[in-house]
Amino acid sequence: RMGVAWVLEISETSSAAQIERDLLVAGAELTGGYDVDCIQYKPNESGISPFNLLHHSQFPQSAFSIAHQDGDKSYKASPRASHDRGFDLILHKLNVGLQADSAGKFEVSGNELKLQDFRIRIGMATQNTYAKGVIVEVEYGPSSVVTQAIPALTEFIEYFFPEHSQEKPEVLKKSTPEPYTALETLYQYSLLFSHMRKRTS
């Protein structure tokens, strides 16, 4: 079972190693590594939106596709889907109509730590080997319902990352007890990568 996650980009002044040290001092335990990757596919046909294909080591059997419309419209307005990993093979066979932006591929690689009910994943985001920033994913494990998890998640973010506590992701702004899905975690990553891409384009 997965919990509810808040994914954020940390400013350049904070290094991944420093964040890890702060968490270890607070009593966190290092539990292993993690990685995320994202590659953009651009259809050759006009009128069709490009989309991001993402993978996350927490969900090794899955792939996630997300299309951000112009202006990064809301989650509900963004076409998205979860797939099994065989979807990657299908995409390779469609390369006549789809161009993979391999040079613009994003990768996040780092460590996972556990602190009580939280799993914290801290990684350096790179695009074509160039460092773009530090991404932190904070997952609250006991609940998969946003309205139940958000008080504890907010308290954690306010304590360790106070400058980001007002930047609550859209997928966490829920008033009804809907179940949280892995796609919502990957949407947060995809949005951060899109913003990083725009900063350098």
Side-chain angles (χ1 to χ4, degrees):
R1 170 178 129 163
M2 66 168 294
V4 177
W6 182 327
V7 185
L8 53 122
E9 180 188 358
I10 301 299
S11 64
E12 294 76 10
T13 55
S14 298
S15 71
Q18 182 59 54
I19 296 168
E20 282 187 27
R21 283 194 292 269
D22 292 344
L23 288 164
L24 290 169
V25 167
E29 300 176 6
L30 186 65
T31 57
Y34 96 106
D35 54 78
V36 175
D37 65 73
C38 172
I39 189 163
Q40 188 176 67
Y41 282 84
K42 298 178 180 178
N44 293 330
E45 296 290 328
S46 60
I48 303 174
S49 298
F51 66 91
N52 291 335
L53 182 71
L54 299 100
H55 305 98
H56 191 309
S57 55
Q58 183 74 0
F59 314 105
Q61 304 303 318
S62 300
F64 305 86
S65 58
I66 299 165
H68 295 288
Q69 305 295 346
D70 293 339
D72 290 326
K73 291 181 182 175
S74 71
Y75 176 72
K76 289 184 178 179
S78 299
R80 61 203 181 276
S82 301
H83 319 273
D84 65 39
R85 285 300 280 258
F87 184 68
D88 295 48
L89 300 175
I90 296 172
L91 281 180
H92 289 307
K93 293 179 180 178
L94 298 176
N95 58 6
V96 173
L98 286 170
Q99 294 298 319
D101 180 18
S102 301
K105 181 178 182 179
F106 277 93
E107 295 180 277
V108 179
S109 184
N111 291 324
E112 179 185 274
L113 298 94
K114 187 176 189 299
L115 179 61
Q116 297 178 1
D117 289 330
F118 297 91
R119 289 194 179 274
I120 308 97
R121 302 176 181 100
I122 308 157
M124 176 62 68
T126 58
Q127 183 183 26
N128 194 22
T129 72
Y130 292 100
K132 293 297 179 183
V134 175
I135 290 182
V136 176
E137 175 191 336
V138 180
E139 179 188 345
Y140 179 68
S143 176
S144 58
V145 176
V146 171
T147 50
Q148 293 175 351
I150 200 63
L153 264 177
T154 300
E155 185 177 348
F156 187 98
I157 297 296
E158 285 176 346
Y159 186 83
F160 286 101
F161 311 103
E163 66 277 18
H164 296 277
S165 61
Q166 300 304 312
E167 303 168 10
K168 188 184 297 179
E170 176 206 348
V171 294
L172 301 184
K173 297 176 181 176
K174 296 185 180 183
S175 56
T176 55
E178 306 166 43
Y180 183 86
T181 68
L183 197 51
E184 290 170 290
T185 296
L186 275 297
Y187 176 81
Q188 294 180 65
Y189 276 97
S190 184
L191 206 56
L192 289 178
F193 295 145
S194 292
H195 292 168
M196 288 177 176
R197 186 177 286 114
K198 288 176 181 176
R199 287 204 301 261
T200 59
S201 60

